[in-house]
């Protein structure tokens, strides 16, 4: 007997979806870009007891289309990435038989020029199994808010740190964060 092993002519495909959330006070400073440059990547884990993992690779932009809709306040953008049928689409399974894990990355330089930061590093990856052919890649959140950490240290007259509580009471220190306004050459 002989066997012929080949992939199915019709392969299972997926659509990718994710949300882009903007934490910028409703674009109060008018710094939010009108659109994003996105890159789709994929990788596949190895089969059990095999050394056949597929390392991350960029999916050619010619293989998919990206559409985006905004919620009513414009602070959440919903993206749908769909494969193009004639070009092989976004396949569910890699050649090693394992599911592809898709990642979406945004152009970090583009966002940093606008003053945004992303807690996720500007990328998100699909998790789980598709529901009705859709793989969710979660959310990428970009923010213009900053965290500033400070510590007040009391010093003795000789410059050493005060380590004892001489007053026996709690002391509250308040501070005001200021930024330099280059246009008027002063702190505000």
């Amino acid at each position: 007997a002989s066997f012929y092993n080949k992939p199915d002519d019709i392969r299972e495909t997926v659509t990718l979806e994710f949300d882009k959330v903007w934490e910028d006070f409703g674009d109060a400073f008018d710094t939010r870009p009108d659109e994003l440059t996105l890159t789709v990547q994929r990788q596949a884990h190895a089969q059990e007891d095999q050394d056949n993992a597929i390392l991350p690779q960029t999916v050619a932009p010619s293989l998919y289309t990206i559409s985006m809709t905004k919620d009513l306040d414009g602070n959440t953008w919903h993206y749908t990435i769909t494969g193009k049928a004639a070009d092989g689409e976004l396949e569910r399974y890699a050649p090693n038989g394992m599911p592809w894990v898709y990642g979406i990355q945004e152009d970090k330089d583009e966002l940093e020029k606008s003053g945004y930061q992303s807690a996720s590093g500007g990328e998100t990856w699909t998790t789980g199994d598709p529901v009705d052919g859709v793989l969710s890649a979660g959310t990428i959140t970009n923010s213009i808010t900053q965290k500033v950490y400070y510590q007040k240290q009391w010093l003795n007259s000789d410059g050493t740190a005060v380590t004892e509580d001489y007053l026996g009471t709690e002391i509250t220190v308040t501070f005001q964060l200021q930024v330099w306004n280059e246009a008027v050459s002063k702190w505000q």
Side-chain angles (χ1 to χ4, degrees):
S2 55
F3 296 94
Y4 183 64
N5 187 10
K6 76 174 192 89
D8 289 339
D9 291 332
I10 300 173
R11 297 183 181 153
E12 184 179 349
T13 60
V14 293
T15 298
L16 311 176
E17 290 186 352
F18 77 99
D19 287 326
K20 172 70 175 168
V21 175
W22 298 95
E23 291 181 352
D24 59 2
F25 311 103
D27 197 20
F29 303 108
D30 198 29
T31 56
R32 186 185 298 170
D34 294 327
E35 59 183 33
L36 297 175
T37 303
L38 300 173
T39 303
V40 177
Q41 291 194 319
R42 64 183 174 191
Q43 64 184 5
H45 300 293
Q47 293 174 322
E48 189 173 335
D49 297 325
Q50 301 293 314
D51 187 24
N52 63 349
I54 300 174
L55 298 175
Q57 54 188 245
T58 299
V59 178
S62 63
L63 296 178
Y64 57 86
T65 58
I66 299 175
S67 61
M68 183 265 292
T69 58
K70 297 179 183 180
D71 68 356
L72 292 178
D73 65 9
N75 293 327
T76 301
W77 298 0
H78 181 76
Y79 282 89
T80 302
I81 302 172
T82 308
K84 294 181 179 176
D87 295 322
E89 301 208 25
L90 299 174
E91 295 177 345
R92 171 75 178 117
Y93 293 99
N96 67 358
M98 298 297 289
W100 281 115
V101 179
Y102 286 91
I104 296 103
Q105 295 179 323
E106 56 190 352
D107 185 326
K108 295 176 198 143
D109 294 335
E110 186 177 274
L111 288 167
E112 287 174 5
K113 287 178 188 173
S114 299
Y116 288 89
Q117 294 182 357
S118 175
S120 67
E123 66 182 37
T124 184
W125 290 84
T126 58
T127 57
D129 292 323
V131 176
D132 295 327
V134 176
L135 272 175
S136 174
T139 301
I140 298 177
T141 301
N142 283 13
S143 176
I144 61 170
T145 61
Q146 302 288 322
K147 291 183 180 178
V148 177
Y149 298 95
Y150 75 98
Q151 178 180 359
K152 173 67 179 161
Q153 182 157 15
W154 299 99
L155 300 177
N156 290 311
S157 59
D158 64 358
T160 60
V162 174
T163 57
E164 295 182 39
D165 182 2
Y166 293 110
L167 300 176
T169 185
E170 186 174 315
I171 298 175
T172 302
V173 177
T174 346
F175 81 101
Q176 181 178 6
L177 181 63
Q178 297 181 327
V179 295
W180 180 257
N181 185 336
E182 193 69 39
V184 293
S185 297
K186 71 177 200 176
W187 289 97
Q188 296 182 321

